[in-house]
């Protein structure tokens, strides 16, 4: 296979502007008019997302957040102006002049404000679900494709199995469960379980550590012992603090102490791993025992020390976020599968390339090969795929909110707004039109941006 | 340091090297149903400072041999001694440290350079991996290497897609030279290039060999180019080396029937001589390496084959003066 | 090929089992049983206990699951006899096709509910898929053949546009414009009634203008998104195929353009389209949840959403299972279509 081409002279090459493939892609993207328009629109949406009210800065002043871009709060009901059409004026019970550009809903809440606040839910879901599925999919797919062999086979069987799962229905069921939990409030935590995990972890950890001391030479063995006892010491400190000082110390001091101890734990372990003491010289079984035990032990310690009920904690956070957290988890969990398949396919095709072999032959480590050679090459299609998947996430949120399994009222989501208002569409069409338009425009922008990105990152497809 | 009988110093000694790629069936419980015998019991030595040519048809396992020597594929069996270190048993850090001394130049200059890295980072990667040079020192070393392979040192911040095939192959050569190795496996380094460029790259490789005393294992299927560059030549057929000897000896007095057939196919730049010589056309196809014939691997296509050829694998023996051949008919 | 289908079908059994187990455990794990909370008028504890005993909700979880799966007579013979004696309906088990009783609609079984609602949903879904294919494939083909023409731009743009409108948005708009403002179509309900032909197809006598008028808006609401997706995919893959060498060869040997497209290009370009048939069926299923709700069609989707609100767990589990079977069959059909379109794929 001879390659016929003119050899550019040195001057030819030096005369051209220095451009990385990334810069080339950005340049192509900026030439794509629809994509640029979409980006501008999405930038606007992000601005609304951030500055709908001043909640980002409100914690500095300690006052409740005030609307910035949005004219009113999303939950501000006005009984003097229920179901008024767009462009209406009214005087509130407190004597304020009110103006409703897009009218009000059945509680007299400003439709414009609620629509603007609605970006928070939709965009949060989009970002969170995209991040989760991207990260999980990338890591899973890359490992599967790179390691190959039996590991790959098993990992892909799992994905195949999950692929046959009716996931949206599973999300609906999960949300039903979460919602019921949230309504009911969580049952009391079971410290017995935590104690059991901790004890099991400790036992496994001890087994691993003693195995290591036998296998390693004396210097490394003593290091393992030191680490073990240091961690036990930290653990005891943790427990003492958790049980005796928990109530007497101020919350902030207590929490920061716990965090410090946790960091010390991780630091010790990181130091240990960094110096490669365990990896190099020990048998796989004791290594695994050591790390698994260590992990369980630390988790149990944290749970005991902080004495939080995990489920309760998640539910509390979820409630603060208006029911969004569980939505993120549910939507994020289902979408990594396609991403991991794509990532694996890409890794498989690049793994065979000679530049990866070249990296092996100069002695580059696996981490380096993945990080420097594989990921930069495979990330493009993944980003495109993720951008094109975002409308799906937004749809899912709207869909779940529509059937009452999304965010909690009165948090405004476009899906909830439509579901609350469509029965009255004959008399009050504006209540449905505003969120419907916002939803459509946003997904439209993501779709166009995705198309533009695909053309920019893979110019062969366009021609 | 191992010394050979003829006084030349042995750099790489390959003993009974095997590389089988398993064929598996089944999903979770995989069972091996067979193996592709890409390299099947190969032994030879490479002397310091020489160029050993390795020729054969595509698919005969010559590239796999090169990669297995460098431990890019782990051998299924056999040993590879680099000086006195057995690479086949090395792992992890020690193997990585040995990689400084042996490098590879790849066939496809388009696939062998990461399109997302600058030329400087590509050539500098070995320096970075082994902590030889960082920062400004690394950049200077990269520019030095670029100049060495005949490229403009100002190219450090450029990306591979801006260069022609020949220029890219020079970048690949510079990368291989970065760690000042002793031994370089050249895996068909010129077969993807324009004919007009091929000579330039071969000359560059020769110059560098003279300058740094490099040892090459030069893998190719182009017999005339191998004749030009090699000191000794090994001929491979279906995972085995069938003949190995001095360049002149091989081209003048080929012994193995396969070598004879192969050489008869090389065009001679003289139409009269070309039309007069006897050309041997081999019949049939190369058997599958997953299912090689019993006896001599070449027996299915050999026009001289006798009964024993179909039953016994011929030994690879010295037939005199360092001329090795694996054929029952050659003694 | 037969062996392959059999193997794939067997592979679905663990999936269905996992779905059943997951759904069952999740629904049973919800704190507070379905009867302990009944809106404003909570039932007295004694009554709740009685009802729970009736449905064996006082059994341990594994036993409930076994009974759901295998039937009371296999799991607990005594309880089975007792149920019969009390003239209660014992569970016959999923393996014998019994999806259990509805908690909310006394006297109705989940099987009854599925039998009355599934045909409507199936009609709606099939018509939507048909619409999607009938619009999507020609639109994509024409756009690809007239690449970069005005038709192409229009088709591409409207495809992206319709792919960006969720049915949550499209359905109310359709109702507002075509039913309320223009009065062309009825607002709600579905035009056929049982008995159905083959169990789910409307009788010929019902296939009149009224039926079509009732069906038009919901089918459109459900089908356009899919049509847009199919059109985009068809265009993309056809564009790739018509650049292949064998198309050039076909042109070079003087074949008629139409023959080239139909015989050589279209079939190969359908390969990627076939792969989205699976997600498509999933989209139809979830689409019916919304469309049936908004258009007031008494289908399985509407029922499913309502049973979530009602905490009618047997209905939730049963309908989930039906959907899972549908999706699983859909995936199998994708694989078979794929094999038919692309003979290079070997199944051994």
């Amino acid at each position: 296979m001879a390659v016929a081409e003119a050899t550019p002279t040195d001057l030819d090459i030096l005369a051209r502007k220095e451009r990385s493939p990334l810069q080339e892609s950005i340049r192509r993207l900026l030439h794509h008019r629809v994509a640029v328009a979409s980006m501008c629109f999405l930038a606007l949406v992000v601005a609304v997302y951030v500055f709908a009210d001043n909640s980002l800065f409100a914690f500095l002043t300690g006052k409740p957040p005030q609307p910035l871009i949005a004219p009113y709060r999303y939950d501000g009901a006005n009984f003097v102006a229920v179901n008024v059409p767009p462009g209406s004026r009214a005087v509130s019970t407190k004597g304020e002049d009110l103006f409703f550009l897009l009218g009000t809903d059945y509680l007299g809440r400003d439709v414009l404000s609620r629509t603007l606040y609605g970006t928070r839910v939709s965009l949060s879901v989009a970002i969170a679900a995209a991040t989760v599925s991207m990260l999980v999919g990338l890591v899973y797919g890359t490992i599967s494709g790179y390691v190959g062999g039996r590991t790959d086979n098993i990992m892909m069987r799992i994905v195949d199995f999950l692929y046959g799962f009716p996931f949206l229905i599973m999300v609906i069921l999960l949300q039903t469960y979460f919602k019921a939990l949230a309504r009911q409030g969580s049952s009391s935590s079971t410290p017995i379980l935590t104690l059991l995990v901790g004890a099991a972890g400790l036992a496994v950890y001890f087994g691993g550590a003693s195995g290591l001391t036998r296998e390693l030479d004396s210097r490394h063995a003593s290091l393992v012992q030191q680490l073990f006892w240091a961690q036990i010491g930290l653990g005891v400190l943790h427990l003492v603090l958790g049980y005796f000082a928990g109530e007497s110390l101020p919350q902030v001091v207590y929490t920061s102490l716990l965090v410090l101890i946790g960091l010390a734990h991780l630091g010790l372990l990181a130091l240990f791993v960094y110096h490669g003491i365990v990896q190099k010289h020990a048998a796989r079984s004791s290594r695994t025992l050591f790390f698994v035990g260590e992990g369980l032990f630390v988790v149990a310690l944290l749970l005991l020390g902080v004495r939080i009920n995990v489920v309760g904690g998640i539910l509390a956070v979820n409630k603060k976020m208006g029911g969004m957290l569980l939505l993120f988890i549910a939507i994020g969990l289902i979408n990594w599968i396609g991403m991991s398949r794509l990532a694996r396919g890409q890794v498989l095709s690049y793994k065979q390339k000679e530049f990866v072999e070249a990296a092996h032959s100069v002695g580059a480590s696996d981490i380096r090969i993945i990080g420097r050679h594989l990921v930069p090459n495979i990330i493009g299609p993944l980003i495109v795929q993720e951008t094109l998947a975002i409308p799906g996430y937004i749809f899912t949120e709207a869909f779940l909110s529509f059937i009452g399994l999304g965010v909690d009222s009165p948090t405004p989501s476009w899906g909830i707004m439509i579901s609350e208002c469509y029965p009255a569409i004959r008399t009050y069409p504006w209540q449905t039109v505003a969120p419907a338009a916002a939803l459509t425009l946003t997904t439209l922008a993501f779709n166009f941006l995705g198309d533009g990105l695909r053309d920019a990152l893979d110019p062969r497809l366009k021609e | 340091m191992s010394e050979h009988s003829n006084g030349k110093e042995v750099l790489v000694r390959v003993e009974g090297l095997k590389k089988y790629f398993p064929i598996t069936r089944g999903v979770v419980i995989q069972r091996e149903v067979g193996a592709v015998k890409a390299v099947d019991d190969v032994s030879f030595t490479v002397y310091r400072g020489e160029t050993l040519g390795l020729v054969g048809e595509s698919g005969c396992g010559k590239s796999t041999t090169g990669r297995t020597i460098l431990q890019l594929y782990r051998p299924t069996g056999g040993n590879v001694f680099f000086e006195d270190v057995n690479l086949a048993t090395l792992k992890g850090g020690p193997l990585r440290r040995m990689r400084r001394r042996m490098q590879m130049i790849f066939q496809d200059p388009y696939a062998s350079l990461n399109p997302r890295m600058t030329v400087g980072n590509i050539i500098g990667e070995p320096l970075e991996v082994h902590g030889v040079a960082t920062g400004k020192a690394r950049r200077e070393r990269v520019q030095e290497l670029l100049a060495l392979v005949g490229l403009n040192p100002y190219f450090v911040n450029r990306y591979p897609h801006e260069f022609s095939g020949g220029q890219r192959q020079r970048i690949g050569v510079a990368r291989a030279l970065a760690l000042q190795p002793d031994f370089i496996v050249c895996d068909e380094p010129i077969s993807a290039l324009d004919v007009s460029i091929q000579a330039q790259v071969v000359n560059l490789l020769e110059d560098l060999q003279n300058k740094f005393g490099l040892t090459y294992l030069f893998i190719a299927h182009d017999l005339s180019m191998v004749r030009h560059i090699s000191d000794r030549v090994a001929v491979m057929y279906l995972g085995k080396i069938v003949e190995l000897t001095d360049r002149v000896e091989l081209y003048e007095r080929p012994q193995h029937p396969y070598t004879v057939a192969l050489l008869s196919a090389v065009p001679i730049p003289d139409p009269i001589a070309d039309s007069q010589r006897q050309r041997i056309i081999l019949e049939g196809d190369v058997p599958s390496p997953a299912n090689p014939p019993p006896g001599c691997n070449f027996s299915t296509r050999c026009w001289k084959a006798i009964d024993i050829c179909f039953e016994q694998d011929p030994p690879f023996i010295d037939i005199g003066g360092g001329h090795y051949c694996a054929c029952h008919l050659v003694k | 090929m037969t062996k392959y289908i059999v193997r794939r079908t067997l592979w679905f059994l663990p999936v269905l089992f996992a779905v059943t187990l997951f759904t069952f455990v999740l629904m049973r794990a919800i704190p507070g049983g379905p009867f302990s909370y009944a809106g404003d008028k909570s039932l007295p504890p004694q009554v709740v206990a009685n009802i729970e005993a009736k449905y064996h909700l006082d059994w341990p979880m594994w036993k409930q699951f076994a009974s759901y799966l295998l039937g009371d007579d296999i799991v607990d013979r005594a309880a089975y006899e007792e149920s019969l004696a009390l003239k209660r309906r014992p569970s016959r088990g999923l393996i014998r096709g019994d999806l259990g009783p509805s908690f909310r609609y006394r006297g109705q079984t989940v099987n009854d509910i599925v039998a009355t609602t599934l045909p409507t949903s199936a009609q709606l879904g099939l018509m939507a898929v048909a619409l999607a294919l009938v619009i999507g494939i020609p639109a994509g083909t024409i756009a690809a053949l007239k690449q970069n023409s005005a038709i192409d731009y229009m088709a591409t743009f409207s495809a992206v546009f319709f792919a960006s409108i969720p049915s949550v948005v499209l359905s109310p708009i359709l109702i507002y414009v075509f039913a309320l403002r223009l009065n062309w179509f009825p607002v709600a309900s579905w035009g056929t009634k049982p008995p159905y032909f083959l169990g789910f197809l409307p009788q010929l006598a019902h296939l009149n203008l009224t039926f079509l008028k009732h069906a038009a808006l919901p089918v459109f609401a459900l089908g356009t998104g899919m049509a847009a997706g199919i059109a985009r995919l068809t265009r993309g893959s056809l564009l790739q195929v018509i650049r292949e060498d064998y198309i050039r060869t076909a042109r070079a040997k003087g074949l008629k353009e139409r023959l080239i497209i139909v015989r050589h290009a279209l079939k190969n370009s359908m390969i990627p389209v076939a792969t989205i048939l699976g997600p498509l069926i999933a989209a139809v299923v979830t689409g019916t949840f919304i469309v049936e709700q908004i258009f007031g069609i008494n289908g399985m989707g509407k029922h499913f959403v309502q049973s979530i609100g009602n905490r009618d767990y047997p209905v939730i589990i049963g309908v989930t299972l039906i959907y899972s079977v549908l999706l699983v069959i859909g995936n199998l059909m994708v694989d078979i279509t794929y094999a038919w379109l692309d003979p290079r794929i070997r199944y051994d």
Side-chain angles (χ1 to χ4, degrees):
Chain A
M1 178 194 66
V3 178
E5 63 176 316
T7 301
T9 66
D10 291 7
L11 279 178
D12 283 344
I13 293 170
L14 289 172
R16 274 200 297 262
K17 260 184 81 180
E18 232 171 76
R19 270 211 197 96
S20 70
L22 184 68
Q23 286 167 318
E24 288 279 343
S25 303
I26 292 174
R27 197 180 52 86
R28 276 196 298 268
L29 184 65
L30 292 180
H31 278 257
H32 201 286
R33 261 171 292 164
V34 187
V36 172
S38 301
M39 276 195 286
C40 294
F41 178 76
L42 289 175
L44 206 69
V45 174
V46 170
V48 171
Y49 172 83
V50 177
F51 298 112
D53 63 15
N54 62 356
S55 55
L56 260 189
F57 332 102
F59 72 95
L60 291 175
T61 55
K63 289 178 199 151
Q66 291 301 312
L68 281 181
I69 292 180
Y72 305 104
R73 278 186 59 83
Y74 60 84
D75 53 357
N78 297 289
F79 296 106
V80 291
V82 172
N83 290 328
V84 297
S88 302
R89 287 181 187 283
V91 179
S92 76
T93 43
K94 290 178 197 155
E96 297 156 309
D97 268 336
L98 300 170
F99 176 67
F100 303 109
L101 187 65
L102 294 178
T104 63
D105 66 3
Y106 64 103
L107 290 175
R109 297 175 296 195
D110 182 34
V111 172
L112 175 64
S113 302
R114 281 178 69 75
T115 308
L116 293 181
Y117 270 101
T119 53
R120 295 221 158 151
V121 174
S122 292
L123 226 53
S124 300
V125 167
I127 293 165
T131 316
V132 170
S133 69
M134 183 82 174
L135 284 181
V136 177
L138 184 64
V139 170
Y140 192 94
T142 308
I143 290 175
S144 178
Y146 187 77
V147 176
R150 190 160 298 183
T151 316
D152 178 39
N153 225 316
I154 292 171
M155 285 175 90
M156 277 304 121
R157 281 296 129 177
I158 294 172
V159 162
D160 282 349
F161 182 79
L162 292 177
Y163 200 72
F165 241 61
F167 258 106
L168 202 88
I169 295 173
M170 292 296 128
V171 168
I172 291 174
L173 297 179
L174 270 179
Q175 276 292 89
T176 314
Y177 176 70
F178 287 150
K179 288 258 155 188
L181 268 190
R183 249 202 314 273
Q184 208 79 25
S186 64
S187 53
S188 65
S189 67
T190 47
I192 295 177
L193 192 71
T194 321
L195 276 175
L196 278 178
V197 172
L202 200 60
V204 174
Y205 186 26
F206 183 73
S210 57
L212 284 179
T213 47
R214 271 200 310 279
E215 284 155 22
L216 296 174
D217 59 66
S218 58
R219 196 171 64 86
H220 288 135
S222 81
L223 278 173
V224 169
Q225 278 173 2
Q226 281 169 32
L227 178 85
F228 181 74
W229 289 117
Q231 298 225 321
I232 297 287
L234 279 176
V236 170
L237 197 64
H238 221 141
L239 287 182
V240 169
L241 201 71
Y243 269 91
F244 299 106
E247 267 101 70
S248 48
L249 283 174
Q251 195 64 35
V252 180
V253 179
Y254 169 65
T255 314
S256 10
L257 274 174
L258 286 184
V259 168
L260 275 181
I261 295 177
L263 286 180
H265 256 305
L266 292 178
L268 269 178
L269 194 67
L271 213 72
F272 205 69
V273 173
Y274 179 75
H275 287 293
I277 293 164
V278 178
Q279 294 94 310
K280 271 178 208 156
H281 311 283
R284 182 182 295 261
S285 55
S286 20
R287 237 187 308 168
T288 316
L289 281 181
F290 181 78
F291 283 116
V292 169
E294 158 80 22
L296 285 174
F297 178 59
V298 171
V299 166
L301 274 182
L302 283 175
L303 290 183
L304 267 184
V306 183
R307 280 199 286 172
I308 53 158
N309 172 351
V310 178
V311 177
I314 291 178
L315 288 176
V317 176
N318 183 49
K319 199 169 178 189
K320 273 222 165 117
M321 295 172 69
M324 268 196 280
L325 182 67
L326 297 179
L327 209 57
F328 294 167
I329 297 176
I331 299 181
L333 274 182
I334 55 176
N335 286 298
W336 63 272
I337 292 177
M339 220 40 79
S340 73
R341 280 191 161 175
L342 184 64
R344 172 177 173 271
Q346 291 278 318
V347 167
L348 282 184
S349 74
Y350 275 98
K351 193 171 87 161
Q352 302 300 328
K353 298 246 167 166
E354 286 183 341
F355 69 79
V356 175
E357 272 194 318
H360 272 297
S361 76
V362 301
S365 63
D366 290 338
I367 304 249
R368 187 189 170 86
I369 289 173
I370 290 176
R372 289 292 305 267
H373 295 279
L374 290 176
V375 171
N377 278 296
I378 68 169
I379 200 81
L382 288 173
I383 290 174
V384 172
Q385 192 67 22
E386 197 60 76
T387 315
L388 289 172
I390 284 178
Y393 306 150
I394 296 178
F395 281 13
T396 310
E397 184 279 322
F399 164 72
L400 288 173
S401 293
F402 181 84
I403 63 175
L405 292 175
V407 295
D408 303 321
S409 210
T411 311
S413 132
W414 297 330
I416 283 192
M417 291 171 75
I418 295 172
S419 103
E420 283 175 349
C421 302
Y422 85 87
I425 193 169
R426 181 195 285 270
T427 19
Y428 315 120
W430 62 88
Q431 296 173 351
T432 308
V433 167
L439 186 53
T440 307
L441 285 177
T442 308
T443 51
L444 200 60
F446 273 113
N447 271 329
F448 278 129
L449 179 62
D451 280 354
L453 273 176
R454 184 174 48 200
D455 292 348
L457 290 174
D458 195 353
R460 274 168 307 166
L461 288 176
K462 201 184 172 190
E463 292 193 19
Chain B
M1 211 56 48
S2 23
E3 293 282 333
H4 198 259
S5 51
N6 58 10
K8 283 187 273 185
E9 188 191 327
V10 173
L11 183 67
V12 177
R13 194 168 84 245
V14 178
E15 275 179 2
L17 190 69
K18 287 180 186 160
K19 178 64 198 174
Y20 297 169
F21 293 102
I23 307 167
T24 55
R25 270 280 161 76
V27 212
V28 182
I29 309 135
Q30 289 180 331
R31 52 189 198 284
E32 261 183 60
V33 293
V36 173
K37 296 177 177 172
V39 180
D40 193 8
D41 199 1
V42 161
S43 302
F44 59 91
T45 48
V46 187
Y47 301 115
R48 186 182 286 280
E50 79 163 344
T51 299
L52 176 66
L54 185 58
V55 294
E57 293 166 84
S58 42
C60 72
K62 52 191 193 304
S63 277
T64 311
T65 307
R67 283 169 160 78
T68 314
I69 290 172
L70 292 187
Q71 307 300 314
L72 289 175
Y73 299 150
R74 298 318 297 254
T76 313
N79 298 312
V80 178
F81 290 97
F82 187 89
E83 289 175 347
D84 287 326
V85 184
N86 188 355
L87 299 176
T89 55
L90 278 190
K91 277 198 287 196
L95 176 62
R96 209 164 284 155
R97 280 188 286 282
M98 281 307 286
R99 291 199 185 285
R100 291 181 61 166
R101 307 196 46 201
M102 46 192 198
Q103 286 295 311
M104 184 151 182
I105 297 169
F106 292 90
Q107 173 176 12
D108 184 351
Y110 289 85
S112 63
L113 306 178
N114 186 344
R116 305 267 159 190
M117 280 163 83
T118 59
V119 169
N121 282 335
I122 290 170
I123 300 174
E125 181 166 40
L127 303 171
E128 207 181 312
V129 166
H130 292 279
V132 175
T134 49
K136 195 153 171 273
R138 198 188 103 188
R139 191 189 163 88
E140 277 166 8
R141 173 83 182 119
V142 167
Q143 293 190 322
E144 209 176 284
L145 284 162
L146 278 173
L148 194 65
V149 297
L151 290 173
N152 192 318
Y154 289 108
F155 287 164
V156 275
N157 288 327
R158 299 291 168 164
Y159 286 85
H161 66 93
E162 298 176 64
F163 296 94
S164 71
Q167 288 170 319
R168 285 165 180 244
Q169 201 56 296
R170 285 170 193 267
I171 296 170
V173 172
R175 169 175 58 193
L177 287 176
L179 292 168
Q180 295 171 302
D182 301 293
F183 177 56
I184 297 181
V185 172
C186 308
D187 182 16
E188 310 205 28
I190 52 168
S191 50
L193 300 177
D194 259 13
V195 179
S196 56
I197 311 289
Q198 286 185 351
Q200 293 177 13
V201 173
V202 166
N203 289 341
L204 171 71
L205 288 173
E206 282 183 326
D207 290 348
L208 292 169
Q209 183 171 39
N210 295 335
K211 212 166 183 175
F212 299 110
L214 295 170
T215 308
Y216 290 144
L217 177 67
F218 195 93
I219 300 168
H221 59 252
D222 179 347
L223 286 167
S224 41
M225 196 54 89
V226 168
R227 181 178 197 167
H228 171 75
I229 195 171
S230 306
D231 299 309
R232 293 187 306 144
V233 179
V235 180
M236 237 179 137
Y237 181 80
L238 204 61
K240 286 180 186 293
I241 292 186
V242 295
E243 189 161 11
L244 165 64
T245 183
D246 195 48
R247 164 181 59 155
V248 181
E249 172 88 2
L250 184 92
Y251 282 82
E252 300 296 325
R253 282 176 295 280
Q255 295 298 320
H256 196 282
Y258 179 63
T259 318
V260 174
L262 208 59
L263 287 175
S264 81
V266 177
I268 302 171
D270 174 356
I272 299 166
D274 196 41
S275 63
Q276 281 171 351
R277 64 140 167 204
Q278 195 190 1
R279 187 169 278 177
I280 301 157
I281 311 281
L282 291 177
E283 281 170 20
D285 291 323
V286 184
S288 156
N291 189 18
C296 175
N297 273 357
F298 189 55
S299 59
T300 52
R301 301 169 77 195
C302 185
W303 67 98
K304 289 179 173 173
I306 52 175
D307 288 349
I308 190 172
C309 298
F310 296 101
E311 289 150 18
Q312 268 181 39
D313 211 3
F316 186 57
I317 45 167
D318 191 344
I319 54 170
H323 189 151
Y324 291 85
C325 186
C327 183
H328 290 297
L329 300 165
V330 181
K331 287 284 173 313
Chain C
M1 190 67 197
T2 323
K3 204 175 140 205
Y4 169 76
I5 294 174
V6 170
R7 244 195 23 217
R8 284 306 303 239
T9 316
L10 288 178
W11 176 243
F12 290 139
L13 288 178
V15 173
L16 290 180
F17 179 77
V19 170
T20 319
L21 183 64
F22 178 79
T23 319
F24 194 89
V25 171
L26 200 65
M27 289 300 109
R28 288 290 190 277
I30 289 179
F35 303 108
S36 60
Y37 169 90
D40 298 329
K41 35 179 192 201
S42 288
L43 296 165
Q46 189 50 49
V47 179
V48 171
N50 276 342
I51 302 176
E52 286 186 344
K54 178 182 164 192
Y55 292 117
H56 298 316
L57 294 177
D58 48 350
W59 283 1
M61 178 93 80
W62 67 267
K63 202 172 167 188
Q64 288 186 43
F65 183 65
S67 143
Y68 184 78
L69 209 60
L70 306 170
D72 283 350
D73 48 338
I74 295 175
V75 175
D76 191 335
R77 193 77 206 181
Y80 175 71
E81 305 288 351
E82 192 194 323
S83 293
L84 286 182
L86 289 168
K87 292 218 161 39
R88 285 177 184 164
R89 219 187 126 273
S91 162
R92 298 185 59 240
L94 195 59
I95 48 166
R96 277 169 286 187
D98 182 9
L99 295 170
S102 162
F103 286 171
R104 179 61 47 148
Y105 303 99
R106 302 279 153 79
Q108 277 203 48
T109 63
V110 180
N111 293 51
D112 298 336
I113 293 173
V114 170
T116 50
T117 56
L118 181 60
T120 316
S121 293
Q123 289 167 19
L124 173 62
L126 284 176
M127 284 164 77
V129 171
L131 181 82
L133 291 173
V134 163
I135 296 179
I137 292 179
T141 311
I142 292 169
L145 295 181
K146 312 251 179 210
Q147 200 196 356
N148 294 333
S149 70
I151 299 177
D152 179 29
Y153 288 130
M154 246 173 56
T156 316
F157 181 82
S158 31
V160 178
F161 183 71
F162 280 109
S164 304
I165 305 185
S167 43
V168 176
V169 170
L170 191 57
S171 311
I173 291 176
L174 286 176
I175 290 184
Y176 183 70
V177 176
F178 294 103
L180 298 176
R181 290 282 137 195
L182 298 172
N183 260 322
W184 289 356
F185 300 104
V187 176
S189 80
W190 193 244
T192 58
K193 279 193 289 295
Y196 295 113
F197 178 59
L198 282 182
F200 72 99
L201 293 173
Q203 287 172 320
L204 285 178
H206 287 148
L207 277 180
N208 49 23
L209 198 62
T210 330
F211 170 73
L212 290 179
K213 269 190 160 181
H214 274 98
L217 290 184
V219 166
F220 191 74
L222 195 54
T224 40
M226 291 183 254
I230 291 176
R232 283 170 93 183
L233 211 60
T234 307
R235 175 179 180 272
S237 94
L238 190 60
L239 277 182
Q240 243 169 26
V241 168
I242 52 180
R243 292 204 188 96
E244 298 276 347
D245 283 344
Y246 59 83
I247 299 294
R248 211 168 300 146
T249 312
R251 287 225 173 91
K253 70 186 182 192
L255 275 188
K256 278 204 188 102
E257 190 65 22
R258 247 189 44 189
L259 214 63
I260 294 172
I261 298 304
V262 174
R263 179 98 43 92
H264 294 268
L266 212 52
K267 188 178 165 192
N268 283 309
S269 72
M270 282 299 112
I271 293 170
V273 180
T275 55
I276 66 150
L277 278 174
L280 197 76
I281 291 165
V284 171
V285 166
T286 50
T288 55
F289 294 169
I290 288 177
V291 170
E292 289 177 1
Q293 187 82 16
I294 296 183
F295 286 93
I297 298 165
N298 193 22
M300 205 161 75
K302 188 180 164 207
H303 231 90
F304 183 61
V305 174
Q306 279 176 354
S307 63
I308 289 170
N310 291 340
R311 302 217 257 162
D312 197 345
Y313 300 140
V315 177
I316 298 178
I317 300 169
V319 174
T320 303
L321 264 178
I322 302 275
Y323 282 135
S324 309
V325 171
L326 284 180
L327 293 180
V328 152
I329 291 174
N331 280 338
L332 183 65
M333 270 162 46
V334 171
D335 289 342
I336 294 171
T337 322
Y338 211 81
W340 173 67
L341 287 171
D342 194 347
R344 283 171 305 180
I345 296 173
R346 281 172 53 235
Y347 297 95
D348 48 9

